[in-house]
Amino acid sequence: AKLEKSLAEAERTPDLTEKQKARIRLVRLEFDYLKLTVTAIHLYHAYRLVPSVESFRPIVTALEARNAFIDSLYDEKGRMRSVPGVFRPPFRNASKAMLLTNGRLSARLSAPFAWDGRSMLEKGVLPGMSTAVCRVARAEGTPAFGDFESGAWAKAAWNGLNGIQLEKIRTETRFKLLADDANLYVAVRSSLPPDRTYEPTGHDSSCYRRDNLDLVIDPTAAAERLYHFIWGPVQDSCLEEARGLVSDPLDPLFGSFDGSWNGKWSYRTARRGDTWLSLATIPFETLGVGRPKPGEKWRMNLGRVAEPDGARGNVEYSKLELSLWSPNFENLAFFNPEAMGTLVFE
């Protein structure tokens, strides 16, 4: 408010030179952007204190005002409009996508700026108030790979992924879950351009900044242990790691994922046209537990990383499309324990 008062007084000052007027126009433009951004952040903090539809609506209004302001800075071809009398474009000629997320120097804003607030209101989704739930059917016979509609898979329901913060995405991904006495089975069906080719990256490889599936399991339902599995569209392109296996707080790995952990698990993958089919088999022994009893609850999340068209792996993180089963409204990470959905075993 103090800065607004000072700037308004400067704008009313008589007998300004053209150079002074241009400088004030530039300051006003960048200050209005700052105000709209900070207003959304303040309303977001208020919502976190008292989450409700009533406290969520002002965030949506603030985000729409900010987005409209940013839209006004660009012409119909997506070029930054110049400020009369100023020799350089404002915001160092940032792209619209960069300005929306404050993406310069990788300092990206996530919640609430990546939200599709209007869609969330229409769907009745309140961030942080609920997470996804999936029932894990008991497998009758060995779950087959490829045909996820019949046999043991017939009794399992499909679950869909959305944008990691419910934003619009182009990659469709669905999954089913089954369990028998020894294993958890995760069947995934996802879209993938048929002309995109891959080379195996190996075990415990950098298979994450490219097309992949990302599974996080918490068998304690208390965030005490997390098991993380990533695999790609071709065999021999995977990694696994675990967090919570170290109890000594003085150990460097305490509270961190240990990439040297190599639990026993497997996955199969196949491509049929523009469809990627995959089946991961996770033994309960690998997770340090026995077969869950009926009604037992775990926490889990499944994510999908999609490369932009024309990419060849190792894509800059900000250009990847991220989708997730149980949305993470706080940041762009797949393994936030607060965002993980609930598995209920039958």
Side-chain angles (χ1 to χ4, degrees):
K2 193 177 207 180
L3 290 169
E4 172 60 44
K5 181 179 178 181
S6 296
L7 182 55
E9 289 178 357
E11 290 170 326
R12 292 193 297 268
T13 301
D15 303 323
L16 293 172
T17 66
E18 290 304 313
K19 184 176 181 180
Q20 290 169 333
K21 291 178 182 178
R23 178 60 59 87
I24 290 175
R25 282 194 291 266
L26 180 61
V27 172
R28 165 56 70 188
L29 194 69
E30 298 189 349
F31 182 60
D32 284 350
Y33 170 79
L34 176 64
K35 282 199 304 180
L36 289 165
T37 301
V38 171
T39 296
I41 291 172
H42 278 302
L43 292 170
Y44 171 60
H45 289 166
Y47 170 81
R48 294 194 65 182
L49 286 173
V50 187
S52 66
V53 174
E54 289 71 25
S55 59
F56 183 63
R57 282 199 181 99
I59 300 178
V60 176
T61 300
L63 292 175
E64 290 178 340
R66 181 177 181 270
N67 291 343
F69 171 81
I70 292 173
D71 286 341
S72 72
L73 302 178
Y74 297 86
D75 62 20
E76 61 280 357
K77 294 184 178 180
R79 297 173 299 196
M80 176 76 74
R81 299 181 189 275
S82 61
V83 177
V86 178
F87 70 92
R88 66 172 178 86
F91 306 101
R92 298 184 64 186
N93 203 25
S95 68
K96 184 183 292 188
M98 184 178 290
L99 205 57
L100 284 167
T101 61
N102 192 41
R104 194 180 298 279
L105 302 179
S106 301
R108 296 182 69 194
L109 296 170
S110 51
F113 299 97
W115 294 353
D116 184 347
R118 186 60 55 185
S119 175
M120 292 161 71
L121 269 180
E122 293 171 354
K123 294 177 181 178
V125 174
L126 290 180
M129 295 298 289
S130 62
T131 56
V133 178
C134 174
R135 302 196 69 83
V136 184
R138 184 171 181 82
E140 302 296 339
T142 303
F145 172 68
D147 180 6
F148 299 142
E149 302 292 349
S150 60
W153 293 109
K155 63 190 300 185
W158 285 109
N159 301 270
L161 274 61
N162 296 289
I164 190 169
Q165 295 188 338
L166 290 187
E167 67 273 24
K168 295 179 180 179
I169 53 174
R170 68 182 188 284
T171 306
E172 181 184 4
T173 304
R174 299 187 298 161
F175 72 93
K176 286 184 173 185
L177 299 178
L178 285 175
D180 57 20
D181 289 337
N183 304 302
L184 175 68
Y185 300 94
V186 185
V188 185
R189 181 185 182 98
S190 185
S191 58
L192 190 66
D195 58 347
R196 193 171 292 173
T197 59
Y198 305 90
E199 293 293 331
T201 59
H203 179 237
D204 282 345
S205 61
S206 57
C207 56
Y208 36 86
R209 279 173 32 192
R210 60 186 72 222
D211 283 301
N212 68 61
L213 293 165
D214 193 304
L215 175 67
V216 186
I217 300 175
D218 171 15
T220 68
E224 295 175 358
R225 298 199 313 272
L226 295 180
Y227 296 91
H228 189 199
F229 306 89
I230 301 178
W231 67 98
V234 293
Q235 296 296 148
D236 193 29
S237 299
C238 63
L239 65 83
E240 65 280 326
E241 56 186 1
R243 187 173 81 182
L245 303 184
V246 176
S247 58
D248 182 0
L250 298 182
D251 191 300
L253 288 175
F254 180 76
S256 301
F257 277 104
D258 181 2
S260 67
W261 176 80
N262 288 314
K264 294 175 61 177
W265 69 292
S266 62
Y267 75 95
R268 294 183 63 183
T269 184
R271 299 174 66 183
R272 298 174 182 172
D274 61 354
T275 300
W276 172 21
L277 300 174
S278 184
L279 173 61
T281 303
I282 316 291
F284 295 127
E285 182 182 5
T286 291
L287 307 178
V289 297
R291 203 281 179 195
K293 298 177 181 178
E296 186 172 334
K297 296 180 180 179
W298 289 10
R299 305 294 303 283
M300 187 204 84
N301 225 336
L302 179 70
R304 167 78 159 92
V305 176
E307 300 177 15
D309 291 338
R312 297 286 294 177
N314 291 320
V315 179
E316 183 181 334
Y317 193 73
S318 62
K319 296 180 180 178
L320 294 167
E321 180 185 78
L322 307 178
S323 51
L324 194 60
W325 170 50
S326 186
N328 180 3
F329 294 109
E330 292 303 311
N331 51 55
L332 300 179
F334 284 160
F335 45 80
N336 179 3
E338 299 299 323
M340 294 173 72
T342 301
L343 304 186
V344 182
F345 287 86
E346 297 180 347

